[in-house]
Amino acid sequence: QKTSICYLSFPDSYSGGLGDTQFTFRLRQAGAARTCPFRDDGRYNREVPPALQREAAHYFGYVYFRQVKDSSMRRGYFQKSLVLVSRLPYVKLFQCLLQLIAPEYFDKLEPCLEAVCNEIDQWPAPAPGQTLNLPVMGVVIQVRIPSRVDKPGSSPVKQANQENLLPAPLVLPSVHELDLFRCFQPVLIHIQMLWELMLLGEPLVVMAPSPAVSSEMVLALTSCLAPLRYCCDFRPYFTIHDSEFKEYTTRTQAPPNILVGVTNPFFIKTLQHWPHILRVGELRMSGDLPKQVKVKKLAKLKTLDTKPGIYTSYKTFLHKDKTLIKRLLKGIQRKRPSEVQSALLRRHLLELTQSFIIPLEHYMASLMPLQRAITPWKNPPQIRPFCQEDFMRSLEHAGPQLTCVLKGDWLGLYRRFFKSPNFEGWFRQRHREMSHKLEALHLEAICEADIVAWMKDKSEVEIVDLVLKLREKLVRARCQHLPVKEETLQRVSLYIDTVIGSLPEDLQAVLHHP
């Protein structure tokens, strides 16, 4: 794993560019799961938007790479990388942190890192919905950790202003959001196609001139689906030395559902069999709409001097949204700031994803049993199974056409989505949340019941069985952090004591000390 981190921390093809560059990689964890460096009962992942959840089986690597001429070095260059490894996808925060630390580290080496680590050790754990003040090297970085209950598309800065802020900190508007407009410059007219490819979890390679462009484009693409989580594997920067290189380049099986960013021209040959390849040049902000890449046939992807383009035979299900392009063009003509253009683009993608996902959310909610069907002394009823055909029929009167002006084959898009890892991930998450809600409602029903009246005609065996079941429910409610009030849990605990108190002393002793 350390070797992999070393390879991923440097450009893997000739880079003539001098100076400093930053990029990101993502690495599969080797071996058994490691314990988290700070205590967390799962609350963070429950309260944060899905895209910001802490990774369980992957690490992110945030790299600051410096290459400058130095005649005292054997190769004539000073080349060094400082890498921050984390399970958190806080790309903007960690890049900002490295901009402060890395230049100092290259001058002063280890003692500087030791001082920085001592400061970072004092930082509070990330708490969704809170603004954190993070002191490092004489600067206070101020950033708000988004919460799942935030209104989608709202400005994080406005939400932070409600708190008492320290004087003159370095305020980051977002912990993770990239400059989408800058990243998507060369592909703005194909944003619809790229959104569909992401939604369907299609295998896609981003071929870029540098790790910085590659990782920015991959991370921008994964953020396209917010508030839906991109559930496929993704590698913002991938090299030929990676342990999964053989797995991804084999032609004996279909390419995996993965989004991968590469820079080495060797990949043009080894990944030719992939169905979708996006080749981009350097990202440069200019006063006009940058040259837009063309959609080309995969057969044309043959040579090292392959021109930028989207090499695919994919046909989109939805029609292109020309109004978005017109609005962005107007913004370019009026010299609108990039962050305003990005906000426009992000809102468009958010509304598109919401139009697609809301009918699924409504149908899923209809599978929940009615509250009156939940009775205290029976197991809670089951969530009804998800039937794709029933859902498709529901689209006639409650489909995306209610919230989205885009025309096209929405039904075909849903059918393909059902086969993707993104549907599986979304469905599993929703089903788990609904099961937890059912458990919580059942506990509340038990609290409202007359337990003394129920016990009157019951045998000792039935009463002991009830005690064991209630105890199990209580443990599960606390372990799984079910959406139940603490008052309800205390009442169930009191019920258990009442029931035990009605039993003979020998049984009481056993139940009090199982």
Side-chain angles (χ1 to χ4, degrees):
Q1 202 153 15
K2 281 182 182 172
T3 309
S4 291
I5 289 172
C6 289
Y7 278 124
L8 287 163
S9 301
F10 291 95
D12 77 334
S13 53
Y14 170 72
S15 172
L18 295 177
D20 296 355
T21 177
Q22 286 186 267
F23 58 92
T24 308
F25 62 80
R26 185 169 173 267
L27 176 77
R28 192 184 288 173
Q29 178 184 296
R34 288 166 175 254
T35 52
C36 183
F38 57 87
R39 290 172 65 84
D40 179 47
D41 56 7
R43 182 182 162 194
Y44 171 82
N45 271 10
R46 283 195 312 279
E47 295 182 2
V48 87
L52 288 180
Q53 287 176 337
R54 185 182 292 111
E55 292 268 359
H58 291 85
Y59 294 114
F60 286 94
Y62 302 95
V63 182
Y64 191 106
F65 170 65
R66 174 169 287 183
Q67 177 169 277
V68 288
K69 280 185 176 171
D70 186 341
S71 54
S72 67
M73 297 285 191
R74 192 162 57 90
R75 299 173 70 181
Y77 286 96
F78 169 93
Q79 291 174 310
K80 210 177 190 87
S81 281
L82 181 62
V83 189
L84 188 152
V85 178
S86 172
R87 292 189 186 281
L88 295 165
Y90 293 172
V91 60
K92 292 308 276 186
L93 171 63
F94 292 142
Q95 280 183 350
C96 169
L97 183 62
L98 284 170
Q99 282 164 14
L100 295 171
I101 301 169
E104 284 284 307
Y105 164 69
F106 294 139
D107 287 343
K108 297 173 185 166
L109 302 177
E110 262 65 25
C112 156
L113 279 192
E114 198 173 325
V116 164
C117 287
N118 285 334
E119 287 187 288
I120 292 175
D121 275 346
Q122 305 304 312
W123 286 5
Q130 286 189 18
T131 297
L132 304 182
N133 294 305
L134 311 171
V136 63
M137 293 177 65
V139 176
V140 174
I141 302 174
Q142 188 175 87
V143 70
R144 183 182 181 277
I145 308 298
S147 162
R148 199 172 280 209
V149 295
D150 293 346
K151 188 167 170 262
S154 59
S155 161
V157 180
K158 280 179 194 158
Q159 289 165 332
N161 283 342
Q162 295 161 6
E163 310 190 22
N164 297 323
L165 306 181
L166 289 179
L170 173 58
V171 179
L172 291 188
S174 168
V175 79
H176 69 296
E177 285 181 351
L178 297 167
D179 184 342
L180 272 199
F181 181 65
R182 192 175 142 276
C183 296
F184 287 148
Q185 270 189 95
V187 292
L188 286 172
I189 61 169
H190 305 298
I191 209 78
Q192 192 80 34
M193 175 190 276
L194 292 168
W195 176 83
E196 284 189 23
L197 292 175
M198 292 298 98
L199 183 73
L200 302 174
E202 286 285 312
L204 174 69
V205 185
V206 173
M207 290 184 175
S210 68
V213 176
S214 148
S215 59
E216 281 213 325
M217 183 62 89
V218 168
L219 292 172
L221 285 167
T222 61
S223 75
C224 268
L225 297 184
L228 196 64
R229 184 177 186 167
Y230 180 73
C231 296
C232 305
D233 196 358
F234 62 97
R235 302 301 165 89
Y237 172 52
F238 186 77
T239 75
I240 56 175
H241 304 286
D242 201 287
S243 55
E244 285 123 304
F245 175 72
K246 281 201 176 95
E247 184 187 326
Y248 295 161
T249 53
T250 178
R251 290 173 185 245
T252 56
Q253 58 199 55
N257 297 93
I258 178 173
L259 170 59
V260 62
V262 300
T263 60
N264 194 323
F266 181 66
F267 280 108
I268 291 179
K269 193 175 174 188
T270 54
L271 296 177
Q272 259 181 17
H273 61 296
W274 278 48
H276 320 288
I277 294 169
L278 168 59
R279 187 160 170 80
V280 289
E282 283 292 350
L283 299 177
R284 288 190 183 89
M285 289 299 269
S286 61
D288 209 350
L289 182 70
K291 191 177 177 189
Q292 298 294 289
V293 303
K294 293 194 168 98
V295 176
K296 305 180 182 186
K297 290 190 170 66
L298 276 161
K300 292 193 174 173
L301 188 80
K302 285 218 165 86
T303 55
L304 292 182
D305 61 348
T306 300
K307 289 186 168 60
I310 301 178
Y311 293 83
T312 180
S313 54
Y314 180 81
K315 296 280 180 282
T316 57
F317 286 91
L318 305 180
H319 302 218
K320 215 175 262 185
D321 186 354
K322 290 180 182 157
T323 55
L324 172 73
I325 304 302
K326 283 177 186 165
R327 288 173 75 189
L328 291 171
L329 267 171
K330 196 178 277 183
I332 291 170
Q333 287 157 4
R334 291 180 177 174
K335 298 190 167 38
R336 214 183 267 151
S338 184
E339 55 267 29
V340 178
Q341 295 278 73
S342 284
L344 223 154
L345 198 48
R346 192 171 278 111
R347 174 154 287 284
H348 168 79
L349 291 165
L350 172 76
E351 287 170 359
L352 187 54
T353 304
Q354 284 180 325
S355 292
F356 182 82
I357 217 75
I358 284 169
L360 282 162
E361 298 277 8
H362 284 166
Y363 175 72
M364 196 73 189
S366 75
L367 303 178
M368 185 82 164
L370 295 172
Q371 197 158 341
R372 64 169 179 264
I374 301 166
T375 55
W377 315 122
K378 284 183 185 169
N379 284 332
Q382 297 288 303
I383 297 163
R384 289 195 299 284
F386 189 105
C387 172
Q388 290 181 16
E389 290 312 313
D390 283 353
F391 167 72
M392 297 304 246
R393 278 192 290 274
S394 77
L395 292 177
E396 287 172 29
H397 52 85
Q401 71 277 5
L402 297 180
T403 52
C404 188
V405 294
L406 282 191
K407 299 282 185 280
D409 183 9
W410 285 95
L411 296 184
L413 188 60
Y414 279 113
R415 286 191 199 282
R416 275 282 284 276
F417 177 67
F418 289 143
K419 296 172 185 165
S420 80
N422 288 327
F423 170 70
E424 199 183 316
W426 171 83
F427 177 75
R428 264 207 318 267
Q429 172 75 16
R430 281 290 171 272
H431 199 276
R432 187 164 55 243
E433 286 169 5
M434 285 165 71
S435 301
H436 286 177
K437 179 71 180 159
L438 267 178
E439 284 276 341
L441 289 170
H442 193 223
L443 276 171
E444 282 166 19
I446 290 167
C447 280
E448 299 301 319
D450 185 346
I451 201 157
V452 178
W454 178 84
M455 287 189 320
K456 274 180 186 164
D457 57 346
K458 299 294 181 287
S459 67
E460 280 179 5
V461 174
E462 287 173 297
I463 293 171
V464 169
D465 186 49
L466 174 72
V467 168
L468 298 176
K469 277 183 177 164
L470 285 179
R471 264 201 187 140
E472 189 189 328
K473 272 189 169 298
L474 209 53
V475 169
R476 201 161 57 232
R478 292 197 188 280
C479 289
Q480 295 179 348
H481 304 277
L482 298 186
V484 189
K485 292 177 189 153
E486 183 57 36
E487 181 193 339
T488 304
L489 297 178
Q490 285 171 359
R491 281 178 69 185
V492 172
S493 198
L494 200 64
Y495 267 27
I496 294 171
D497 292 340
T498 306
V499 175
I500 292 174
S502 72
L503 293 166
E505 283 183 11
D506 56 335
L507 275 176
Q508 281 188 39
V510 172
L511 289 169
H512 277 307
H513 307 284

